[in-house]
C-alpha cells in the first residue's frame, strides 16, 4: 500500500471459458458481501479478527510450524492452523504502527513500522516525522510462548520500515545471524531521520543467540545515480525500494523499487549490488516481486492507484495495474507479458495487484495472489507469454460502500490463507489437477519475501 505517513488511501459456462475466453463484463459483479469462487475453489473457514485489533486492518502473513502470524495496523495475531478446518486465534498483541508486515525466524517475529510514532513502545501514539525524537523502524518479539509474546527489541531505521525481508547468513554464518533488509521511501527535507536523497536500504544484523543486540549494520545506496524519477504516470518518484524478495540459496534478490524493477546480487549480505534494472511506462508503482522456483522468471506487481482506487474495472482495462512477467537470462530482464484478473470489479471496489506466493507444483509456475477487493487469484505463468487464471475466490462489493479486501494470500501446507482488511483470516482450498500435487509438500517456515526452492522445502 502507498505510504501511511502521508495520505494513506483506504481506508453455467465451462470454467475454462469463464476464466480465459469470454471478456468480463460489469454484469459479472457479484451481489454485495457475497462470497463467490470458481468451481475448483472452496471457502473452508473464516476467522474474524480478534477483538483487541478488530478495529484496524489486517496486512501480511508469515507461517511457521503450523502457526500463522498475521500483521495488523494495530499489532498482530497468532493463529493455530495445524488443523486448517478448525483454525483459531491463539493470541493478539496490541502494538500499533502501520504496516506491521511480519516475518518469522525460530522464536523471533519481526514487524515493520512505517508510521512515525512518539516512541518505540506499544503504547506509542502517532507523531510527526518532523520531530527528531519520533521513532519508526523494526520491532522484534519473542514468540516462544505463543499465548504471550514478548517485545524484546526495537531498531530505528531511516524513513522507517515499510516492508522487511529476512535473509539468512551464508556458510558458517547461517546459524549465527539473520539479516533484515528494510525497505523505506518518501523522504522529506523537514524529516531529520528521513532526508533526501534516500536511494538506499537499511540492513539490520540480528545475532540469533542474542537478538537484543540487533542493530543496523549497513545502509547501502542502491541507486547511486538516482532512480526513475521523471517518468509520466508514476505514483511517486523512486526514493528507495517498496519491497525486496530474496532467493538466498541463489544469492539473488528482486527489488520492487517504486519506479524501478531491479535484480540484486546478495552474495555479500551486507553489500547487495544491482546487476539488472528495468522500467516500464505502463507501471505506476513497482510494488513486489516473486521468482519462479528455478529463478528463470520473476513476476513484478504494479500498485496502480496506491491501493485505494478502483483499477480492476472496465475503464482501466486489462494491462494497466497488471503484473509484469519477465524472463531472467544472463542476469538480465526480458519482458514477456502482463497478467491481470479477468473479472471486472465495481467502481466502489479498491482493487490492485498485491501480495502472493508460489504454489509448489513441480514443473509449473503457479501462484496465488491477493487483489484487495478483487479477492484472490490463482494463476499459471508456466508459459510466460500466455499467463492464465485457473481459479479465484472473491467477495462482492461491501454493502456499506466501503473499501478493503484481501491484502495477502499465500499457499502453505495444502491450503491458501488470506488476510482480509476487514473480514479477518480466510482459509481457502483449491482442488485442481494442476495444483493437487502441491498438497504433498510440507514446509516448516514460510516468509514469502524469503523464497526457498521446492527441493529445499521438501519437494523432490
Amino acid at each position: 500500500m502507498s505510504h501511511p505517513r502521508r495520505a494513506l488511501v483506504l481506508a453455467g459456462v465451462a470454467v475454462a471459458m469463464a476464466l480465459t475466453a469470454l471478456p468480463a463484463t460489469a454484469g459479472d459483479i457479484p451481489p454485495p458481501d457475497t462470497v463467490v469462487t470458481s468451481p475448483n475453489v472452496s471457502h473452508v473457514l473464516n476467522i474474524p479478527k480478534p477483538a483487541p485489533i478488530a478495529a484496524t486492518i489486517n496486512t501480511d502473513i508469515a507461517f511457521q510450524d503450523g502457526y500463522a502470524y498475521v500483521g495488523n495496523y494495530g499489532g498482530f495475531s497468532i493463529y493455530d492452523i495445524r488443523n486448517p478446518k478448525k483454525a483459531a486465534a491463539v493470541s493478539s498483541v496490541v502494538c500499533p504502527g502501520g504496516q506491521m508486515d511480519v516475518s518469522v525466524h525460530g522464536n523471533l517475529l519481526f514487524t515493520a513500522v512505517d508510521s512515525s510514532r512518539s516512541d518505540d513502545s506499544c503504547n506509542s501514539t502517532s507523531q510527526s516525522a518532523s520531530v527528531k525524537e519520533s521513532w519508526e523502524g523494526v520491532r522484534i518479539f519473542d514468540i516462544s510462548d505463543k499465548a504471550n509474546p514478548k517485545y524484546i527489541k526495537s531498531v530505528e531505521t531511516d524513513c522507517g520500515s515499510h516492508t522487511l525481508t529476512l535473509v539468512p547468513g551464508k556458510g558458517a554464518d547461517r546459524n549465527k545471524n539473520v539479516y533484515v533488509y528494510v525497505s523505506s521511501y518518501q523522504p522529506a527535507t523537514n524529516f531529520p531521520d528521513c532526508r533526501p536523497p534516500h536511494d538506499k536500504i537499511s540492513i539490520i544484523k540480528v545475532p540469533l543467540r542474542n537478538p537484543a543486540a540487533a542493530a543496523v549494520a549497513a545502509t547501502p545506496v542502491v541507486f547511486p545515480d538516482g532512480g526513475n524519477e521523471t517518468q509520466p504516470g508514476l505514483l511517486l518518484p523512486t526514493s528507495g525500494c517498496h519491497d525486496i524478495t530474496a532467493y538466498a540459496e541463489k544469492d539473488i534478490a528482486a527489488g520492487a523499487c517504486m519506479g524501478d524493477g531491479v535484480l540484486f546480487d546478495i552474495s555479500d549480505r551486507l553489500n547487495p549490488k544491482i546487476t539488472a534494472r528495468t522500467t516500464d511506462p505502463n507501471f505506476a508503482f513497482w510494488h513486489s516481486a516473486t521468482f519462479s522456483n528455478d529463478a528463470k522468471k520473476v513476476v513484478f506487481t504494479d500498485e496502480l492507484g496506491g491501493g485505494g482506487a478502483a483499477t480492476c474495472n472496465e475503464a482501466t482495462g486489462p494491462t494497466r495495474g497488471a503484473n509484469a512477467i519477465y524472463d531472467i537470462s544472463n542476469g538480465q530482464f526480458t519482458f514477456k507479458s502482463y497478467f491481470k484478473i479477468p473479472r471486472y470489479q465495481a467502481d466502489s471496489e479498491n482493487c490492485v495487484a498485491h501480495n502472493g506466493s508460489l504454489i509448489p507444483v513441480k514443473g509449473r509456475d503457479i501462484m496465488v495472489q491477493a487483489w484487495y477487493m478483487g479477492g484472490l487469484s490463482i494463476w499459471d505463468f508456466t508459459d510466460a507469454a500466455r499467463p492464465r487464471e485457473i481459479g479465484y475466490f472473491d467477495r462482492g462489493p461491501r454493502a456499506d460502500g466501503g473499501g478493503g479486501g484481501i491484502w495477502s494470500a499465500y499457499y502453505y501446507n495444502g491450503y491458501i490463507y488470506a488476510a482480509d482488511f476487514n473480514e479477518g483470516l480466510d482459509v481457502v482450498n483449491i482442488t485442481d489437477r494442476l495444483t493437487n500435487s502441491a498438497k504433498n509438500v510440507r514446509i516448516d517456515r514460510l516468509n514469502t519475501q524469503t523464497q526457498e526452492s521446492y527441493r529445499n522445502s521438501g519437494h523432490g
Side-chain angles (χ1 to χ4, degrees):
M1 174 160 285
S2 56
H3 203 290
R5 191 189 291 116
R6 273 123 0 232
L8 172 64
V9 185
L10 282 175
V13 284
V15 66
M17 291 180 66
L19 295 180
T20 62
L22 297 179
T25 68
D28 297 327
I29 296 168
D33 294 336
T34 302
V35 170
V36 293
T37 70
S38 56
N40 55 353
V41 169
S42 59
H43 191 195
V44 177
L45 187 66
N46 172 263
I47 311 166
K49 291 181 291 184
I53 54 173
T56 43
I57 67 172
N58 279 340
T59 58
D60 207 9
I61 317 174
F63 304 86
Q64 187 172 250
D65 296 334
Y67 289 84
Y69 301 83
V70 180
N72 180 289
Y73 269 64
F76 65 90
S77 297
I78 302 176
Y79 296 81
D80 184 343
I81 58 171
R82 288 175 292 181
N83 183 344
K85 296 179 181 179
K86 296 182 179 180
V90 176
S91 63
S92 290
V93 172
V94 176
C95 198
Q99 302 182 134
M100 289 296 284
D101 281 11
V102 294
S103 287
V104 63
H105 187 97
N107 288 330
L108 301 177
L109 179 74
F110 300 85
T111 67
V113 179
D114 192 26
S115 58
S116 187
R117 313 295 298 177
S118 56
D119 55 56
D120 64 352
S121 76
C122 289
N123 297 316
S124 65
T125 57
S126 180
Q127 181 170 282
S128 173
S130 63
V131 179
K132 172 64 178 173
E133 291 74 23
S134 295
W135 179 90
E136 52 189 328
V138 173
R139 294 176 176 138
I140 306 174
F141 294 82
D142 182 332
I143 51 171
S144 52
D145 180 355
K146 294 172 179 58
N148 189 30
K150 301 293 186 184
Y151 181 15
I152 60 172
K153 176 69 175 180
S154 72
V155 181
E156 186 171 16
T157 55
D158 291 350
C159 294
S161 177
H162 196 69
T163 60
L164 54 79
T165 304
L166 296 191
V167 183
K170 293 181 61 177
D173 188 45
R174 184 176 181 86
N175 295 323
K176 295 180 180 178
N177 298 293
V178 67
Y179 299 87
V180 183
Y181 285 15
V182 174
S183 295
S184 57
Y185 58 93
Q186 210 170 358
T189 55
N190 63 325
F191 296 161
D193 298 318
C194 182
R195 289 195 172 111
H198 181 77
D199 294 319
K200 63 183 181 181
I201 63 174
S202 298
I203 301 177
I204 299 170
K205 182 178 181 180
V206 184
L208 293 174
R209 294 181 181 176
N210 183 20
V216 174
T219 54
V221 175
V222 295
F223 297 108
D225 300 319
N228 183 10
E229 300 177 358
T230 59
Q231 175 184 308
L234 287 181
L235 179 68
L236 293 167
T238 299
S239 60
C241 291
H242 177 276
D243 207 343
I244 296 171
T245 295
Y247 206 151
E249 69 191 74
K250 298 181 183 295
D251 283 335
I252 58 173
C257 300
M258 305 177 70
D260 298 82
V262 302
L263 186 67
F264 291 102
D265 177 341
I266 60 168
S267 52
D268 180 348
R269 298 294 194 247
L270 291 175
N271 190 30
K273 297 288 189 182
I274 288 180
T275 57
R277 177 178 167 189
T278 188
T279 59
D280 183 345
N282 187 57
F283 260 42
F285 191 84
W286 296 70
H287 177 273
S288 53
T290 302
F291 288 105
S292 61
N293 184 54
D294 61 9
K296 293 180 180 179
K297 302 172 192 168
V298 64
V299 174
F300 285 106
T301 67
D302 179 14
E303 195 180 46
L304 177 67
T311 66
C312 300
N313 54 9
E314 191 170 5
T316 305
T319 58
R320 294 191 63 235
N323 300 324
I325 306 163
Y326 289 82
D327 278 349
I328 302 174
S329 179
N330 298 318
Q332 298 300 308
F333 295 123
T334 301
F335 172 78
K336 301 300 291 185
S337 68
Y338 294 116
F339 170 80
K340 189 174 181 181
I341 56 173
R343 295 164 285 107
Y344 287 143
Q345 306 296 304
D347 290 340
S348 65
E349 294 181 279
N350 56 299
C351 178
V352 74
H354 223 244
N355 296 359
S357 74
L358 293 181
I359 297 179
V361 178
K362 188 176 182 179
R364 300 198 71 86
D365 300 316
I366 299 176
M367 70 179 291
V368 58
Q369 182 181 3
W371 286 80
Y372 278 15
M373 292 194 75
L376 66 83
S377 174
I378 302 147
W379 60 288
D380 186 334
F381 63 102
T382 306
D383 183 345
R386 295 174 180 83
R388 64 190 183 99
E389 184 174 74
I390 62 173
Y392 65 86
F393 169 94
D394 194 6
R395 286 186 171 92
R398 290 177 63 82
D400 63 7
I406 296 175
W407 179 290
S408 49
Y410 303 137
Y411 188 94
Y412 177 76
N413 290 352
Y415 290 83
I416 294 166
Y417 297 86
D420 187 287
F421 281 45
N422 302 302
E423 303 300 328
L425 183 66
D426 287 304
V427 184
V428 174
N429 184 43
I430 179 169
T431 302
D432 190 284
R433 63 178 182 82
L434 291 177
T435 61
N436 287 343
S437 64
K439 294 182 183 296
N440 299 319
V441 179
R442 289 293 180 270
I443 59 176
D444 296 328
R445 178 168 57 238
L446 177 66
N447 297 306
T448 59
Q449 288 81 16
T450 309
Q451 279 192 233
E452 294 185 68
S453 67
Y454 300 163
R455 184 172 299 277
N456 278 7
S457 62
H459 193 106

